Amino acid sequence: MAIEILKLTLGPLQTNCYILGNTATQEAIVIDPSDNAPLIRQTAASRGWTVRAILATHCHFDHILASAELKALTGAPFSIHAHDLPLLRNMPASVRQWFTIEVPPAAEPDSFVEEGQVVTCGNIALDVLFTPGHAPGHVSYVLRDEQTVFCGDCLFHGSVGRTDLPGASYEALMHSITAKLLPLGDEFTVSPGHMRDTTIGHERKHNPFVVEYLNASAR
């Protein structure tokens, strides 16, 4: 089985959108449709892939701006965690507040993902981890076949997700990182919602937030 991972960095906050394509079945999953639905669809189509599922790690506006249009263009179902439904439905107001522009509503979810669930598309299998802290319904998607975790705004290269937003919690975020992400193993690639990829091993050793929290927990 061959899985190809494409990354598009889109939208006002330069948010990473991932397209996971199975080159055997020509089916694809989109994680975090951040902006420019036609480009996302065309990028998949240029590889001969059909988008079969659309997932969000969480429902801050910059991760779901293209959800409604992409769903309309592809007919693919859209899934989030239920705890983030209020954020999703408040998206137009959030964008109006921060950017003083109008955007259409996000797509209504077709289903809700939960901890322990496996999202499948052809031969692509993504394990769902519930990783709240940055957002109440934040999840991460684990592609074990490629030793990669798509962790949204939970963990970054040298940093962690913001916790000064409504519904956020620093303690919950750090628990998500240390209890859910770090156990995946040092070789796992971390593909975050912003900026560059990193690895679990690098962040365990060098991320100042992670190192400080682990040291405090060990006391």
Side-chain angles (χ1 to χ4, degrees):
M1 178 181 65
I3 297 176
E4 186 176 357
I5 302 170
L6 306 179
K7 179 171 76 173
L8 300 173
T9 303
L10 304 168
L13 300 187
Q14 293 291 279
T15 304
N16 295 330
C17 167
Y18 297 95
I19 309 172
L20 284 54
N22 185 303
T23 59
T25 66
Q26 301 297 295
E27 295 173 299
I29 295 175
V30 173
I31 299 176
D32 286 346
S34 47
D35 202 4
N36 200 337
L39 177 60
I40 297 171
R41 179 177 179 273
Q42 178 54 40
T43 300
S46 71
R47 296 294 204 278
W49 302 341
T50 300
V51 175
R52 297 296 190 193
I54 305 166
L55 308 174
T57 57
H58 63 294
C59 291
H60 288 151
F61 74 90
D62 58 307
H63 291 255
I64 57 171
L65 274 174
S67 58
E69 187 176 3
L70 186 63
K71 181 177 173 179
L73 286 172
T74 64
F78 177 52
S79 301
I80 67 170
H81 192 281
H83 287 358
D84 261 15
L85 190 58
L87 285 178
L88 179 142
R89 291 183 172 162
N90 194 50
M91 187 190 76
S94 296
V95 175
R96 191 180 307 118
Q97 175 184 355
W98 290 100
F99 293 95
T100 63
I101 59 174
E102 296 293 329
V103 296
E108 277 294 305
D110 297 281
S111 64
F112 297 112
V113 296
E114 297 179 350
E115 169 92 31
Q117 180 180 348
V118 181
V119 178
T120 60
C121 176
N123 292 325
I124 301 173
L126 294 169
D127 294 344
V128 179
L129 297 180
F130 183 48
T131 51
H134 176 69
H138 196 295
V139 296
S140 298
Y141 296 100
V142 182
L143 182 61
R144 295 192 186 276
D145 288 333
E146 301 294 325
Q147 288 195 297
T148 299
V149 57
F150 302 93
C151 67
D153 290 359
C154 190
L155 179 65
F156 300 115
H157 176 73
S159 190
V160 298
R162 291 177 59 176
T163 55
D164 59 343
L165 302 168
S169 162
Y170 181 78
E171 186 62 32
L173 177 71
M174 297 311 298
H175 180 267
S176 292
I177 292 169
T178 57
K180 301 290 182 69
L181 299 185
L182 296 191
L184 291 172
D186 288 352
E187 300 306 312
F188 258 75
T189 296
V190 175
S191 292
H194 301 274
M195 302 180 289
R196 52 167 284 188
D197 284 3
T198 183
T199 65
I200 292 293
H202 181 87
E203 300 314 306
R204 189 195 306 275
K205 295 176 182 176
H206 303 293
N207 187 304
F209 298 92
V210 174
V211 171
E212 179 184 12
Y213 187 85
L214 289 175
N215 288 340
S217 298
R219 292 185 192 130

